[in-house]
Amino acid sequence: MGKLRIIFMGTPDFAVASLSKLVESGYAIVGVITAPDRPAGRGRKLQESAVKKYAIQQNIKILQPTNLKSPSFLNELMSLNANLQVVVAFRMLPNAVWNMPQYGTFNLHASLLPQYRGAAPINWAIINGETETGVTTFFLDEKIDTGEIILQERVAIEETDTAGTLHDKLMLLGADLVLRTIQQIEDGSIKRNKQSNSQNLKKAPKIHKETCRINWNSPIQEINDHIRGLSPYPAAWTMLINDTETILVKIYAVAMERKDHSHKNGQILFDKKEIRVAVSGGFIQLLEMQLSGKRKMRSQEILNGLKLSKSAHMA
């Protein structure tokens, strides 16, 4: 096998760990494909992706196509003369792109495929109460996350994990798996395993605002997992009804108190130090929240500034 010439495709921080692992390991990264700069923040100033920022530091050629099928992009991609493409947290590629290099195009996915195919595998694994997940490398094909599996690595989901902490674990685990995958492609020891298409597969679709709303009639464990699986982003939310006032509240951290009680689901109980919400099977203690238009605060800070009525409840 000749020397590998790699094109790396990715956009967020999750992808930077894999790219930097390859650069530090001495592989030739002949180009980086990343999302176009996008306006963000109050000033709507153009922001570069995390991958672009890293590629600039490393003096790697950068392409930011808006159309992955455009002849000009395909010609420029071909001119880089890559023989392998690596995709980490990018977007769906057309056949003309993933089929281009001699050794194919492989993707890193943050689940144990075939489970949790889709855009939000980290969130859904926690929301669904899984105790284990992992990362998978696989060769791309025509469909989303269905190609032949190369390697997998497992990791436990701890009871204290949030989407944020699990993201960071899988980011580092995934970077190591990408490196191992490339090493196997290089030495010819790679094995391909077809994915199952069982009817019992759990999916990981994109998360929308309504997905994030808390259902206070759910069992205590489901509510806890829902909040953990959406923290810190995009964050679980609810409506706090306080007399005639209705406030949108995002909830980032909670604790469970399993206990029999006779309160209505959603009823708020509070003292000078803590806020609890009655649910089926006990109470959800609210530890970190954000009231609409305010910064994130601990419960005690919120109690200092918000006068809760005896009839206050979550809906």
Side-chain angles (χ1 to χ4, degrees), residues 51-173:
V51 163
K52 181 180 178 180
K53 288 174 184 173
Y54 178 82
I56 289 170
Q57 291 171 7
Q58 300 298 321
N59 201 26
I60 303 170
K61 182 177 177 62
I62 299 163
L63 301 180
Q64 294 178 275
T66 53
N67 180 1
L68 296 177
K69 293 181 179 178
S70 75
S72 60
F73 167 65
L74 293 173
N75 287 337
E76 193 167 12
L77 192 61
M78 198 172 291
S79 72
L80 295 175
N81 197 28
N83 51 18
L84 178 67
Q85 292 177 155
V86 180
V87 182
V88 181
F90 193 50
R91 51 195 271 211
M92 190 170 180
L93 302 180
N95 184 299
V97 173
W98 61 259
N99 227 349
M100 190 180 288
Q102 178 184 356
Y103 302 120
T105 300
F106 77 82
N107 186 84
L108 172 71
H109 188 72
S111 81
L112 296 171
L113 289 174
Q115 297 291 0
Y116 294 106
R117 292 171 180 157
I122 297 173
N123 304 94
W124 284 108
I126 297 179
I127 290 169
N128 289 341
E130 302 291 355
T131 56
E132 181 184 64
T133 186
V135 282
T136 303
T137 51
F138 68 98
F139 283 110
L140 290 189
D141 63 10
E142 291 86 353
K143 296 178 183 175
I144 296 175
D145 302 333
T146 59
E148 292 176 320
I149 290 172
I150 307 167
L151 293 171
Q152 293 188 317
E153 192 69 51
R154 296 173 181 271
V155 68
I157 300 176
E158 307 294 341
E159 287 182 11
T160 53
D161 270 326
T162 63
T165 60
L166 188 56
H167 168 282
D168 293 350
K169 288 181 190 178
L170 295 178
M171 177 175 69
L172 299 176
L173 200 66

Side-chain angles (χ1 to χ4, degrees), residues 218-239:
S218 296
I220 189 169
Q221 186 69 52
E222 284 184 22
I223 295 171
N224 177 68
D225 294 343
H226 183 83
I227 292 166
R228 289 191 305 128
L230 295 167
S231 178
Y233 182 82
W237 63 275
T238 186
M239 301 307 296

